[in-house]
Amino acid sequence: MAGKMLPMVDDAPEQPQAGRTRRDFLLAGVRTGSVVAAGGLLTILAKAPAAAGTVWQIDPDKCTQCGLCATNCVLQPSAVKCVHTYAMCGYCKLCFGLLKDRRTGNTLSVENSRCPTDAIKRVFVEDPYYEMHIEENLCIGCGICVKGCTRFGNGSMYLQIRHDRCVNCNECGIARACPAGAISRVSVKTPYKLKARRA
Amino acid sequence: MSRISRRALLAATAVAGLAGCREHPPRVAVTDADEADPPIDPALVKYRSAGVIETGMAAPSAITVAANDAILVAGDAEVRSYEPDGKQQGSIAVAPRPTCLAVGPDGAVYVAAADRVRVYGSGGALRSEWPSLGDRAELTGISVGRDDVLLADAGGRRILRCDHAGRELATLCGKGGGYPGLLLPSAYLSVRHFEGGFCVNNPGLHRIERHAADGKLTASFGAEGLEVDRFCGCCNPTDFALLPGGSVVTVEKGLVRIKEYSREGRLLCVVATPSEYVDGTAGVALAVDGRGRVLALDPKKKVVCIYERKA
C-alpha cells in the first residue's frame, strides 16, 4: 500500500509572528526578491544554447592523462576515446600503449596489459611490425594507454572527445575537472585536434 | 504498485543501467608499482656535473666535439662553438633545422638537415652541398673518418658510406643474411667510426651493434627491460658516444638514463639519472671530449650538461 505523502517541514504554512515590524517585512521582501532574481538568472543561463558553432575538444599536447575524462563525463562510458595517428606509430610489437612497463614476458595476458577494458588489439602486419587497433566501444577514455605511448613511444595514441557521442553540455564536466586546462571549445568546423607526423 | 515491487523495479533498472554502461567491467590495470621507476643505486653513479651551457637556442638538436675539445652545438639555423669550459667562441650560419653534425680531420664542419649534408669551413663558409638522398631520407647521425663519411639515415633505415665529396660508396645494415636490419620505431639512429668499422644503435632491438667496415655485424649487446643494466621502453638507446678507451655511453628516452658500458657490454656505471631530466625529455644527444667528459645536449631545457668522472 502506497504511503500517504506528508507535508515537508518547510512546506508548513507560515504562522503569523507577533511583533513583526514594517522594516522586517520590507527586508523579507528584498531577500525573497533577490532569491527569485538569482533563480531566474540561473534558469536563463541553464537554458542558454551552447556557444554557437563550437564543441568541446582536448588539446593532446596539454593532456596529462590524469584519468578524470573517464569519470567526469556525464556519459558513461565517457565520450572521450583513445584515437591513434597511425602515421606517427612505430608499429612496435613491444607497444607501451598496450603493455605495462613491468611485465612477465611480453605476452598479451591480463597481468601484462595496460588497458583496463582490453580495448587495444595488436594485429600482425609483417615481421617485425604490428598495428594497434582501438575498439572504441570498449574504450572508457581513461588514458592509461596514452600515458605509456607518450612516455616511451611516439605519442601516437591520445585522447579526443568523440562528437558522435558527446552531447556538448554547456558546462563540460571533464573541462571543469581537467587539471591541465586541456579542454576548451573549438570551432565545429575543426572539431578535432589531431596529431600529425613530425614535419 | 507495492513498495516491494517499486524497489524491485528500481533495482532492476539500476542493474540494467550499469550493465549497459560498459561492455567490459574495467579492472585495475596499472598500479603504482607497475609504473614506479626502478631505483638506481647511488653507488653506481660515478659521474658528477661539471657545468651547464645555456645554448640560448629555440631548438638545439645536435652536439659534437672538435679535435681541440671545442664543443659544437647545432640548432635553429646555426652552429655555435664553445670552449671546453662553456664560454662561447663563435657561431656559423647553417641551413635551418640541422639534425646532426660532425667535424672532419681537417676541421670542416659537416651538418646534416633532413635529406642532405652541407660542409662548412671552420670559418663558416659553405664548401659544398651534397645531393639529396631522397624524399624518405631522414639523416640523424653522421661520423667523419679519415677515409669516408658514415651517414645514419633513419628514414631509410640504413647506414650510408660516402666519400668526402658526398659520393655514395655503399649502403650498409640492410636486412638480410640473418641480420634483422635496423628497427627504428622512432627516428633515433646514430653511427660512429670504431676500430676500422663502425658502431650503430639499433633501438628497436634494444642494442648497440658493432659492424665491420663492410657492414657485417660482428658484436652487439643490450636487452629490453627497466632494470638499470638494460634499455627501457619500445626503442632505446636513442644515442650513444664512444669514450677514448672504447667504452660506450648510452642515453634512453622515456626514462632518461645515461650509462657507461664496457666495450663488451657490461654496465660500468651511471652517468646521469632520470631525476636530472624533466618528464617528456626525448632526443638527448651525446658527445664525449678528449678528457673523457660526457656532454649531453638536453633539447627540453636547451642546455648542454657536462659530466665528469668523480675523483
Side-chain angles (χ1 to χ4, degrees):
Chain A
M1 180 181 146
K4 185 183 174 185
M5 293 288 279
L6 294 173
M8 302 288 285
V9 173
D10 290 342
D11 293 338
E14 194 175 338
Q15 299 299 313
Q17 296 171 9
R20 192 170 190 186
T21 65
R22 178 185 174 82
R23 174 173 293 185
D24 291 336
F25 177 79
L26 288 172
L27 283 173
V30 169
R31 276 197 289 268
T32 306
S34 303
V35 170
V36 169
L41 183 62
L42 285 174
T43 305
I44 290 167
L45 287 175
K47 287 186 175 176
T54 62
V55 289
W56 294 102
Q57 195 47 269
I58 301 170
D59 183 342
D61 292 329
K62 292 182 180 174
C63 173
T64 58
Q65 307 97 38
C66 64
L68 293 178
C69 285
T71 54
N72 282 57
C73 180
V74 293
L75 300 177
Q76 283 299 317
S78 171
V80 175
K81 303 291 175 193
C82 174
V83 300
H84 194 192
T85 295
Y86 286 99
M88 292 176 67
C89 181
Y91 291 83
C92 304
K93 182 177 184 182
L94 188 58
C95 170
F96 279 80
L98 176 72
L99 297 167
K100 290 179 182 175
D101 297 1
R102 292 178 187 281
R103 304 173 306 281
T104 308
N106 293 327
T107 58
L108 293 179
S109 54
V110 169
E111 67 271 20
N112 285 345
S113 177
R114 236 173 225 283
C115 181
T117 59
D118 202 21
I120 305 176
K121 300 287 181 279
R122 185 171 67 185
V123 179
F124 176 75
V125 179
E126 63 174 32
D127 188 40
Y129 301 109
Y130 288 76
E131 194 170 84
M132 304 304 144
H133 292 180
I134 315 287
E135 291 200 12
E136 204 171 86
N137 61 327
L138 297 180
C139 177
I140 57 170
C142 64
I144 292 172
C145 58
V146 179
K147 200 166 203 167
C149 180
T150 303
R151 186 178 194 208
F152 286 113
N154 294 351
S156 57
M157 292 179 181
Y158 51 101
L159 295 176
Q160 290 283 278
I161 296 170
R162 294 303 303 251
H163 296 300
D164 52 345
R165 296 168 187 265
C166 175
V167 293
N168 203 18
C169 297
N170 288 326
E171 191 175 0
C172 171
I174 58 170
R176 195 172 55 221
C178 180
I183 303 168
S184 61
R185 283 198 167 275
V186 298
S187 168
V188 74
K189 291 176 184 170
T190 52
Y192 292 97
K193 292 189 173 182
L194 299 178
K195 286 187 174 181
R197 189 186 169 92
R198 229 175 3 175
Chain B
M1 185 183 294
S2 72
R3 187 182 296 256
I4 293 172
S5 61
R6 182 183 294 170
R7 281 182 181 169
L9 179 62
L10 287 171
T13 306
V15 169
L18 285 174
C21 273
R22 301 181 176 106
E23 288 82 349
H24 269 222
R27 60 177 189 264
V28 177
V30 179
T31 64
D32 289 346
D34 290 326
E35 297 230 310
D37 293 342
I40 292 177
D41 181 358
L44 266 179
V45 183
K46 293 185 176 166
Y47 280 75
R48 66 178 175 202
S49 174
V52 170
I53 301 172
E54 301 277 351
T55 66
M57 292 179 176
S61 53
I63 186 170
T64 192
V65 174
N68 58 356
D69 274 354
I71 302 164
L72 275 66
V73 177
D76 300 344
E78 64 176 321
V79 172
R80 290 187 184 175
S81 61
Y82 302 87
E83 293 175 2
D85 64 0
K87 184 181 174 188
Q88 188 174 341
Q89 288 176 322
S91 72
I92 59 174
V94 298
R97 285 184 286 180
T99 51
C100 53
L101 84 164
V103 180
D106 60 349
V109 182
Y110 292 69
V111 183
D115 62 338
R116 70 182 68 217
V117 175
R118 293 175 179 85
V119 185
Y120 300 86
S122 53
L126 179 65
R127 278 192 195 171
S128 64
E129 180 172 329
W130 295 6
S132 167
L133 294 167
D135 291 342
R136 288 194 62 189
E138 194 170 345
L139 296 175
T140 54
I142 182 167
S143 178
V144 182
R146 195 172 303 279
D147 302 320
D148 59 10
V149 178
L150 295 171
L151 301 176
D153 174 11
R157 296 184 171 87
R158 59 185 178 165
I159 302 296
L160 289 170
R161 166 171 286 118
C162 302
D163 65 15
H164 288 96
R167 284 183 290 269
E168 288 183 38
L169 303 175
T171 299
L172 309 169
C173 294
K175 184 177 178 180
Y179 178 65
L182 298 167
L183 302 187
L184 306 174
S186 47
Y188 296 107
L189 180 64
S190 289
V191 63
R192 313 266 179 188
H193 281 87
F194 183 69
E195 294 182 349
F198 60 92
C199 289
V200 296
N201 58 327
N202 199 338
L205 294 176
H206 299 92
R207 67 189 194 188
I208 298 288
E209 297 176 349
R210 193 176 304 157
H211 293 256
D214 62 359
K216 186 181 176 187
L217 177 70
T218 55
S220 69
F221 71 84
E224 185 275 328
L226 281 178
E227 295 76 13
V228 70
D229 59 338
R230 293 170 173 244
F231 299 124
C232 64
C234 55
C235 43
N236 270 315
T238 55
D239 196 11
F240 71 99
L242 300 171
L243 281 162
S247 55
V248 184
V249 180
T250 63
V251 64
E252 296 157 86
K253 69 183 171 81
L255 198 54
V256 182
R257 302 185 292 199
I258 302 178
K259 299 176 289 188
E260 181 184 342
Y261 291 84
S262 69
R263 54 198 295 154
E264 295 81 23
R266 185 170 52 85
L267 178 70
L268 296 177
C269 65
V270 172
V271 177
T273 60
S275 62
E276 298 175 48
Y277 293 83
V278 298
D279 282 348
T281 301
V284 172
L286 291 180
V288 297
D289 67 11
R291 293 190 261 171
R293 299 189 307 172
V294 176
L295 311 170
L297 173 63
D298 179 348
K300 193 94 172 177
K301 292 185 191 166
K302 310 179 197 310
V303 299
V304 176
C305 302
I306 304 173
Y307 301 99
E308 65 182 8
R309 264 199 173 267
K310 291 177 181 172

